[in-house]
Amino acid sequence: MKRSPLAFMLATLCGLAPFADAQLKKAPSPAGEWGFKTEKMGYGCALFGEISIKQTTDKSYSCSFKAVWGCELRQPKSVETDQSCVATQAGSDITITSKIEKITRVDPADMMDFMRRRYAADHFAVKINTRGDEMDGIFHSYGQAPVKFRRKHELVS
């Protein structure tokens, strides 16, 4: 059985429709409450915390977060910070650029002045998944590591 060129073209276009539709869907917004954690880096150090992201324009967001830099094999054992940030979204790619507002705690406490001078803001380049409940990518500051964000869900009673 021979197909006409028109029938072939229609069959091809219909087969591509679901793919094209998926490409046109808008990426989910990162606005909301998230928890995050990096993989361990040198000396068993990792960054973890909670971030709140609020939409300001179509593709930009203001945010703030509390983070803990914790290390297993070196001093300081932990540094707790409050940071403000700006997030920009291009499709599913999200860039979070941060500024340290305050170092709230250092263990050991006698390293507080040193950390105030040396601690660098924590930045992220992540991709939001199609469900909008996870973001994966890279943390970078003085170090760099994979990071995962998970959306916090409110409990419904």
Side-chain angles (χ1 to χ4, degrees):
M1 179 173 166
K2 188 175 179 184
R3 285 189 177 176
S4 73
L6 180 59
F8 177 76
M9 187 169 42
L10 285 173
T12 302
L13 289 174
C14 289
L16 290 176
F19 175 76
D21 186 49
Q23 295 298 311
L24 295 175
K25 288 183 181 175
K26 186 176 178 188
S29 166
E33 306 297 317
W34 299 81
F36 63 88
K37 185 173 184 177
T38 68
E39 290 184 10
K40 287 186 181 178
M41 295 169 260
Y43 301 101
C45 298
L47 182 78
F48 59 93
E50 295 183 350
I51 186 168
S52 177
I53 302 174
K54 295 180 175 131
Q55 192 158 11
T56 54
T57 68
D58 185 38
K59 295 179 184 179
S60 34
Y61 304 82
S62 65
C63 47
S64 61
F65 63 95
K66 293 185 179 292
V68 177
W69 173 260
C71 294
E72 296 171 349
L73 303 172
R74 67 171 248 194
Q75 300 286 336
K77 289 289 186 189
S78 67
V79 180
E80 297 178 20
T81 61
D82 290 343
Q83 298 184 48
S84 59
C85 49
V86 173
T88 55
Q89 183 172 16
S92 61
D93 294 322
I94 298 164
T95 302
I96 300 171
T97 306
S98 308
K99 176 185 171 198
I100 298 170
E101 295 297 330
K102 185 176 181 182
I103 295 179
T104 58
R105 186 174 171 278
V106 176
D107 178 19
D110 63 357
M111 292 187 76
M112 177 66 89
D113 288 337
F114 178 75
M115 293 313 320
R116 283 186 178 140
R117 290 190 308 273
R118 296 291 309 244
Y119 195 92
D122 302 315
H123 309 293
F124 307 92
V126 295
K127 189 174 288 281
I128 193 165
N129 68 6
T130 57
R131 292 181 312 276
D133 62 352
E134 290 185 353
M135 297 188 289
D136 291 292
I138 296 293
F139 150 79
H140 57 97
S141 181
Y142 281 129
Q144 182 171 306
V147 65
K148 180 177 280 293
F149 287 73
R150 287 197 169 97
R151 192 178 294 273
K152 298 179 128 209
H153 296 286
E154 294 180 18
L155 295 176
V156 179
S157 54

